[in-house]
Amino acid sequence: VQCGELVGSLVPGGKRGDEQVKYTKDDGSSSTVPATEFERLGGRGSTRKWRQSLRYVGDDAVGSAESGVPVGRFLREIGAAWRDSVVGRAMEVSVPNDERFYAAEVTGYKADSGEHEIMYADGNRDWIYLCLQTTRWPDGVPPRLAPEAKPTAAQAGEGAVNPKRSSGGGKSKSKGTKGGRGLRFDPSQMARAEAPEPTQPTGPPRGEQAVEGSDGLRAYYTADNETLDEACANLKCDFRDVLAWSRPFVPGLTRHVKLKENTRLWLQEVEVGVEVPPPRREGGGVAEVRTPFVPPAPPTTEGDIAEAMAADSPNQIGEKRKAEGEAGDGD
């Protein structure tokens, strides 16, 4: 990224409001500062909009974002490469200064910024740029979607009202409005976010459908190691609905997590807090147990601080990796 004469790199791991930039100072030493401070050092501090002040100067182009565009636009284009196709997927995130990965689930997407919301196993949520994180995907790295089609000039101008009268000047007034402000805004005409790519069915459902209770609630009992995504594909229903209806009753449920036999999934909305019929079969639940997010405890004494600093030294980390058989930094 570049701001004025300064050139640096966004540091992985930053969450919203804590984005960092690493750059080289005049004396040759490197320094890592908040993105807002990098903006000030580049002479654009009065703007206070670092996503607009900083420019992307890398070689890679994503969508319509090429070298020279504002960083905010570049990050938005990268987020749009996945959009909400990853919502419901399990993932693992590495926390800065911590070699461990923590289980999380993608729970939301913001088209205007390109950010995704993730929820950790303990229920904490963060809005992050996935491209600025070190991640692992147990189900494989999601494929990038094709860029969204932009409306043509003819489509954009369709239905537009000519602001000028055919004879003479003056202001025109649109039909059915006051003050010549044009047609009223119709929320139904807003473009909806593209739905995630559906999983193709592999055959008839492996589990069993059922009708529960006197209210006739529709449910589905899974087969062993069946995922919610697989069940919904074979049932030809939207996994997002089933995930929202079933998650309050199945702790740890995600789109791709494997389930035990006889896990009950709801195929219609069930009001949370209202007593529901007991499951017809015993068992069920999530078959995979992921590592919960437990932030490392801060050192409390001088001895603990010295021990933590020694453990984080490059020599100690290298020895630890060799002992555990891990690859070195160059691999």
Side-chain angles (χ1 to χ4, degrees):
V1 294
Q2 182 174 359
C3 185
E5 299 297 327
L6 287 182
V7 178
S9 300
L10 283 169
V11 179
K15 296 181 175 61
R16 175 189 286 181
D18 191 32
E19 296 86 353
Q20 305 283 316
V21 178
K22 184 177 182 179
Y23 73 102
T24 302
K25 297 191 292 186
D26 294 337
D27 59 5
S29 62
S30 62
S31 177
T32 301
V33 297
T36 51
E37 175 65 10
F38 186 79
E39 176 188 36
R40 187 189 69 80
L41 295 174
R44 298 293 299 276
S46 59
T47 307
R48 296 185 179 180
K49 293 182 179 180
W50 68 268
R51 291 176 180 83
Q52 295 295 326
S53 301
L54 275 61
R55 299 283 169 164
Y56 170 71
V57 292
D59 297 329
D60 297 331
V62 179
S64 61
E66 300 177 347
S67 181
V69 301
V71 168
R73 178 181 170 185
F74 183 78
L75 294 173
R76 184 169 63 249
E77 291 284 350
I78 293 183
W82 279 340
R83 299 194 279 282
D84 58 359
S85 66
V86 294
V87 173
R89 291 197 59 161
M91 64 177 299
E92 296 175 343
V93 185
S94 175
V95 179
N97 302 322
D98 189 346
E99 296 181 351
R100 293 176 294 177
F101 282 80
Y102 297 97
E105 177 192 349
V106 185
T107 54
Y109 165 65
K110 281 188 175 181
D112 59 345
S113 66
E115 294 173 293
H116 286 81
E117 183 189 46
I118 62 172
M119 180 177 68
Y120 294 100
D122 63 355
N124 287 331
R125 297 172 182 262
D126 279 320
W127 282 98
I128 60 174
Y129 290 108
L130 290 178
C131 64
L132 295 183
Q133 310 300 318
T134 304
T135 60
R136 296 194 306 207
W137 299 84
D139 302 316
V141 178
R144 287 187 174 182
L145 304 178
E148 293 182 298
K150 302 296 183 181
T152 63
Q155 291 173 334
E158 185 177 354
V161 180
N162 189 349
K164 295 184 179 181
R165 295 180 179 178
S166 57
S167 60
K171 297 181 180 179
S172 65
K173 294 187 179 182
S174 301
K175 200 172 184 179
T177 62
K178 295 182 178 180
R181 295 185 179 179
L183 299 176
R184 291 187 181 277
F185 172 69
D186 184 1
S188 66
Q189 300 302 315
M190 290 183 64
R192 298 183 62 185
E194 182 177 337
E197 288 292 330
T199 301
Q200 296 301 319
T202 57
R206 296 198 288 131
E208 181 182 346
Q209 298 187 59
V211 178
E212 306 279 72
S214 58
D215 294 333
L217 300 174
R218 296 173 53 240
Y220 175 79
Y221 288 87
T222 63
D224 189 35
N225 283 334
E226 189 175 17
T227 66
L228 180 144
D229 186 60
E230 176 189 352
C232 291
N234 294 330
L235 290 167
K236 298 181 180 180
C237 58
D238 194 323
F239 78 88
R240 293 172 295 180
D241 293 333
V242 178
L243 183 63
W245 298 333
S246 305
R247 180 180 285 158
F249 305 95
V250 184
L253 180 65
T254 67
R255 178 182 179 184
H256 294 281
V257 71
K258 293 182 179 179
L259 302 173
K260 298 179 181 178
E261 186 177 5
N262 296 329
T263 301
R264 181 170 66 177
L265 304 176
W266 292 110
L267 302 182
Q268 68 180 81
E269 186 172 6
V270 179
E271 187 174 351
V272 179
V274 176
E275 186 175 356
V276 298
R280 291 186 178 187
R281 302 175 181 178
E282 296 182 356
V286 174
E288 301 173 323
V289 179
R290 300 188 182 276
T291 306
F293 175 73
V294 181
T300 56
T301 66
E302 292 184 1
D304 292 339
I305 295 174
E307 182 178 352
M309 293 177 64
D312 289 338
S313 66
N315 291 336
Q316 290 293 331
I317 293 176
E319 292 297 329
K320 180 181 177 182
R321 287 182 175 177
K322 289 180 182 178
E324 294 178 353
E326 294 184 2
D329 292 338
D331 296 332

